[in-house]
């Protein structure tokens, strides 16, 4: 068994991250497996260099130990590019030149705009472009219909929820390569989990819709099928899920207020592994 914790160095860790890291580590320890750390740092518009060390320091303070040097996604851009080329050769992605504003305007004119669990889906403006501009760098989007037809029926196994049927159209034609960073969360995470031989992907249940896209990509890229464990999210006293904006609840702030690691663990929900 190999599990991982994959934070983005875009802010300080909070109690929700501590819970996610603890859960991934415990699952590995209980099964004599390995626990890895990976920095998901592709979004250079949001990454700050000081957060790599801050994250490692906060994890160490909690007694969390990873079993190999941490990976950084920025070191792996070539792999993502190769995967993108494979998807191009399968003809399941297409270049998209839309700006966010153009997409919003297109959606506002549609009476029946397609919706997913996270809001309106991309309306498909660039899906069948006749004249592809050569002077502009495109984003690349999954052609979810074509990809679904090529992949055939798929399921994924969640340790808590059992077997789930993949809905390949759930998030629509998601972006697989942003024009400014040359990849995306979906593409990078699928490549890395395979390259690091992750057998059990543990992550918050907010990412459950993404898993449908990831299974599809794993199949198209001929990558192994991992198992999943989508865990509950940690909420604040008002019932709102923790986010990086909750600076007052960062592990750093909790530590500075005098809390011990044991106090932090006592604030976490049960692992229910
Ligand atoms: N980097 C993601 C996050 O910080 C986690 C991605 C994943 O576990 O798949 O929420």
């Amino acid at each position: 068994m190999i599990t991982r914790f994959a934070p983005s160095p875009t802010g300080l860790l909070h109690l929700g991250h501590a819970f996610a890291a603890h859960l991934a580590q415990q699952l590995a320890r209980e099964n004599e497996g390995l626990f890895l750390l990976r920095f998901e740092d592709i979004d250079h518009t949001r990454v700050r260099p000081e957060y790599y060390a801050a994250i490692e320091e906060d994890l160490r303070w909690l007694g969390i130990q990873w079993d190999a040097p941490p990976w950084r996604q920025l070191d792996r851009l070539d792999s993502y590019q190769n995967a993108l080329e494979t998807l191009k050769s399968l003809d399941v992605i297409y270049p998209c030149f839309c700006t966010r504003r153009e997409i919003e305007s297109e959606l506002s004119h549609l009476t029946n705009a397609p919706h997913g669990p996270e809001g309106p889906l991309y309306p498909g403006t660039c899906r069948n472009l006749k004249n592809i501009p050569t002077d502009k760098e495109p984003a690349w989007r999954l052609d979810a219909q074509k990809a679904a037809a090529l992949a055939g029926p798929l399921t994924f196994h969640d340790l808590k929820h059992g077997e789930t049927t993949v809905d390949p159209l759930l998030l629509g034609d998601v972006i697989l390569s942003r024009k400014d960073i040359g990849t995306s969360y979906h593409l990078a995470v699928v490549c890395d989990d395979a390259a690091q031989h992750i057998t059990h992907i543990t992550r918050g249940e907010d990412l459950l819709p993404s898993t449908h896209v990831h299974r599809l990509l794993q199949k198209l890229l001929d990558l192994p099928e991992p198992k999943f464990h989508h865990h509950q999210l940690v909420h604040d006293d008002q019932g709102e899920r923790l986010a990086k904006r909750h600076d007052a609840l960062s592990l750093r702030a909790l530590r500075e207020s005098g809390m011990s690691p044991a106090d932090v663990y006592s604030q976490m929900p049960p692992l229910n592994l």
Side-chain angles (χ1 to χ4, degrees):
M1 178 181 288
I2 307 184
T3 67
R4 47 62 164 188
F5 174 56
S8 295
T10 54
L12 289 169
L13 298 186
H14 54 60
L15 190 61
H17 295 109
F19 176 66
H22 174 49
L23 185 143
Q25 176 177 251
Q26 277 310 109
L27 184 64
R29 298 285 172 256
E30 283 175 16
N31 293 280
E32 291 169 26
L34 294 176
F35 166 69
L36 304 180
L37 174 63
R38 177 170 79 227
F39 288 108
E40 302 217 318
D41 55 358
I42 48 175
D43 189 353
H44 55 75
T45 61
R46 294 172 54 227
V47 166
R48 296 281 170 274
E50 59 273 24
Y51 290 128
Y52 296 91
I55 288 172
E56 291 196 16
E57 188 187 319
D58 288 346
L59 291 175
R60 284 204 190 90
W61 177 67
L62 286 172
I64 290 174
Q65 282 178 317
W66 43 101
D67 297 316
W71 278 26
R72 293 185 178 200
Q73 291 190 318
L74 279 180
D75 296 334
R76 301 203 5 93
L77 297 178
D78 289 351
S79 311
Y80 312 143
Q81 193 55 43
N82 289 341
L84 202 67
E85 294 304 324
T86 303
L87 296 172
K88 265 184 219 173
S89 67
L90 294 173
D91 193 28
V92 292
I93 59 175
Y94 61 87
C96 172
F97 299 88
C98 295
T99 61
R100 191 168 298 180
R101 189 173 295 175
E102 283 163 348
I103 296 174
E104 273 163 19
S105 142
E106 172 97 14
L107 286 169
S108 69
H109 292 107
L110 292 176
T111 38
N112 252 332
H115 265 71
E118 288 156 10
L121 300 179
Y122 177 67
T125 322
C126 290
R127 194 182 296 128
N128 296 307
L129 276 191
K130 293 276 171 298
N131 299 315
I132 298 190
T134 49
D135 57 332
K136 282 195 238 160
E137 195 60 39
W140 288 86
R141 285 185 181 272
L142 180 70
D143 188 325
Q145 294 271 7
K146 270 193 193 168
L150 188 63
L154 290 168
T155 56
F156 59 85
H157 186 83
D158 184 288
L159 299 189
K160 216 164 51 176
H161 306 292
E163 209 72 3
T164 305
T165 300
V166 168
D167 175 359
L169 309 184
L170 188 64
L171 296 183
D173 290 359
V174 284
I175 293 218
L176 294 187
S177 170
R178 260 169 57 172
K179 66 167 176 277
D180 57 341
I181 61 179
T183 184
S184 68
Y185 160 64
H186 297 303
L187 187 63
V189 82
V190 160
C191 292
D192 288 347
D193 284 332
Q196 291 193 291
H197 307 289
I198 305 300
T199 59
H200 291 70
I201 295 178
T202 64
R203 59 177 169 220
E205 55 198 9
D206 55 326
L207 288 170
L208 195 47
S210 297
T211 297
H212 291 254
V213 177
H214 298 179
R215 270 302 293 134
L216 184 60
L217 292 176
Q218 283 155 1
K219 172 78 183 178
L220 294 167
L221 294 168
D222 203 15
L223 301 173
E225 176 183 351
K227 291 193 166 40
F228 294 86
H229 175 90
H230 295 93
H231 58 73
Q232 69 176 101
L233 299 173
V234 180
H235 294 91
D236 67 10
D237 293 344
Q238 279 77 50
E240 229 192 291
R241 62 175 276 215
L242 295 186
K244 296 226 165 94
R245 62 182 181 280
H246 283 78
D247 273 350
L249 294 173
S250 69
L251 295 175
R252 198 54 62 100
L254 298 179
R255 171 162 34 144
E256 279 161 11
S257 76
M259 270 174 94
S260 68
D263 296 330
V264 171
Y265 281 106
S266 74
Q267 304 275 313
M268 290 183 196
L271 290 182
N272 289 333
L273 284 174

